[in-house]
Amino acid sequence: MNRDELLDQLTEDILAHVMRGSFPERELAASIKPEQLDERFEEYELLLDLHFILKSDIVDFVRDLRSHLRSIRTETRTTSRTRRGTVDGRINWNETIKKRYSEHPRDRSIFVCDDRTIDYDIPENIVLKRLISIVHTTIREAEEYLRDDYDWVQETWKGSEDLIDELQRIVERNVHVRRIRDPDSYEPTERMLTTAANSRHAVYREAASLLRTRERLFDGDADAIRSLLEETAIAPDDQDSLFELFVLFRFVATLERLQENRPTYKTIATGRQEVARFEDEKEIVLYHDNSASDRNLSFVAEPDRDMETLSRTDKVQLEAQEIASDYFGREFRNHTGRPDVIVLEVISEDDDQHEYLIVEVKNSANVDTIRRGIKETLEYLAFLRVNEEFVFGPDEDEYFGSGWNGLLVTQDLEDETASLEEQTENPVTILQASELEQGLEHILHEIL
């Protein structure tokens, strides 16, 4: 599966699951944001706005903004007021005579005065103010990253950091911007956008165009989502995270087909990485990128101190752990890595019966990488613990479960490999990307 195929499939997945509200947006955001960004950018809308402001068109807009503001449009509004004995503004003699004749005969102290004011709150300016506000707010959130030497800002804000200060000055001090009222939450309306798009002034046409681009991104337009995955800060330098997300969506889609009821989707919270939960006669919980610590799951790899004899490897590991603990005055534990996806099925909470499928994802067709993935998956199975107790065992031939508890997903290989049927005797099943849709359903049938 090449990058284009992966992006096409993920675009379909996001349209099918995220945009219809059946998959947590924060899980998606956490998967596709650059690693350098902090947890604020796991808020999906903020990440979308970061993607939005990294477009070169936004940088060009900010660069030209000060000169455009010199010719900002306003309208003159005339307000008529009736005064007695004083004149406040320009006297409107026609209205004054009418007022005296109809309401105040023979009262020569009555005057109708016109007060002319400059109105900044026209539709075009509301559109402009909304765009400025979005760009300014997002830049303020991401400023430390835009000023740093990250690859994903090279093509846009790199070398234009002074524009960040320029925009700040415009928002805080420019008299024209400050006189435009802040748009309401529902503004700009479609009519306002249409008015701005048809304006003779380029700045309004550009502002309307950019806001509509943002709308398409937030509304889940297919081309905008494809761009989201492919361009600027959103796509990682390599496609490992995208491949993991592809595998995660395959799990969600397959489980939805197999289960009669709809899942409950969860947002990410500290210490809890539950993505989806299916509740029926059997309860299935899907975790991503976490060892499901809230369910007291862990992957602790250390020798059994109660064993009468230890291998040389175990002895070295145990002694090293104890020496380090003595030296630093705190306890150390040897954890394995963490699997990329965990599917947890609780058959019966009352009987305390559980079944697990542990999945490792390798975005590679390299033989050595796949061999390492096999070893890591075996480690996850052998050292999987619940409440500090090993899940599989105690006999050596039971360390890796029933044979259907470990799955390694890899990229597609050119050479012919063993089929799913030919792997039934192995404790870890290997599926390539193109085999995942069909093979995963078979494996889940065995687990469920």
Side-chain angles (χ1 to χ4, degrees), residues 27 46 50 106 125 137 163 176 205 232 307 317 356:
E27 177 68 26
L46 181 56
L50 174 60
R106 295 185 299 276
N125 285 341
T137 300
L163 291 180
H176 300 299
R205 297 197 302 271
T232 62
M307 291 179 60
Q317 184 174 326
Y356 300 92

Side-chain angles (χ1 to χ4, degrees), residues 157-376:
W157 290 94
K158 194 63 180 175
S160 300
E161 294 91 341
D162 58 321
L163 291 180
I164 298 174
D165 300 323
E166 174 74 4
L167 181 61
Q168 184 70 28
R169 286 192 293 269
I170 288 174
V171 170
E172 292 179 354
R173 303 176 189 174
N174 187 276
V175 63
H176 300 299
V177 172
R178 290 174 62 85
R179 286 177 177 174
I180 303 171
R181 68 172 174 82
D182 292 331
D184 290 328
S185 59
Y186 61 87
E187 293 177 325
T189 63
E190 181 57 34
R191 178 175 292 184
M192 290 175 174
L193 286 168
T194 300
T195 300
N198 294 328
S199 173
R200 292 179 299 163
H201 295 261
V203 64
Y204 297 128
R205 297 197 302 271
E206 187 176 359
S209 175
L210 289 171
L211 282 179
R212 282 191 164 134
T213 297
R214 179 177 180 267
E215 275 187 1
R216 289 194 295 273
L217 187 60
F218 276 69
D219 290 343
D221 175 79
D223 291 337
I225 291 176
R226 185 63 154 71
S227 174
L228 165 71
L229 297 171
E230 189 173 31
E231 294 178 1
T232 62
I234 306 305
D237 293 336
D238 56 49
Q239 63 186 49
D240 290 351
S241 295
L242 296 181
F243 191 61
E244 286 185 21
L245 190 60
F246 162 77
V247 174
L248 181 63
F249 275 121
R250 301 283 68 70
F251 268 83
V252 170
T254 305
L255 284 168
E256 284 187 343
R257 286 200 307 272
L258 294 178
Q259 299 302 113
E260 294 182 358
N261 63 328
R262 300 290 296 174
T264 301
Y265 290 93
K266 305 291 184 179
T267 56
I268 297 175
T270 303
R272 186 176 183 87
Q273 298 270 354
E274 179 181 320
V275 175
R277 178 187 295 267
F278 297 78
E279 294 179 340
D280 203 342
E281 294 180 2
K282 298 178 180 181
E283 182 185 25
I284 304 168
V285 184
L286 176 66
Y287 294 91
H288 176 226
D289 200 27
N290 187 269
S291 62
S293 57
D294 61 306
R295 300 295 287 249
N296 295 316
L297 282 177
S298 62
F299 299 88
V300 182
E302 60 183 18
D304 189 343
R305 298 171 184 267
D306 296 331
M307 291 179 60
E308 295 182 1
T309 60
L310 296 174
S311 68
R312 288 178 181 268
T313 301
D314 286 343
K315 184 66 174 175
V316 169
Q317 184 174 326
L318 187 58
E319 289 294 338
Q321 180 178 322
E322 290 180 346
I323 291 170
S325 296
D326 290 342
Y327 182 72
F328 290 103
R330 59 188 178 94
E331 184 178 356
F332 287 91
R333 308 192 74 179
N334 295 321
H335 290 260
T336 67
R338 52 96 184 119
D340 299 308
V341 179
I342 299 174
V343 177
L344 165 65
E345 178 199 0
V346 181
I347 298 176
S348 172
E349 287 282 7
D350 295 335
D351 298 334
D352 198 27
Q353 295 177 344
H354 300 73
E355 189 68 77
Y356 300 92
L357 174 60
I358 308 299
V359 181
E360 171 67 9
V361 180
K362 293 295 183 189
N363 179 43
S364 175
N366 180 274
V367 173
D368 289 336
T369 302
I370 294 174
R371 288 180 61 193
R372 187 171 69 251
I374 294 170
K375 177 177 178 292
E376 290 172 354

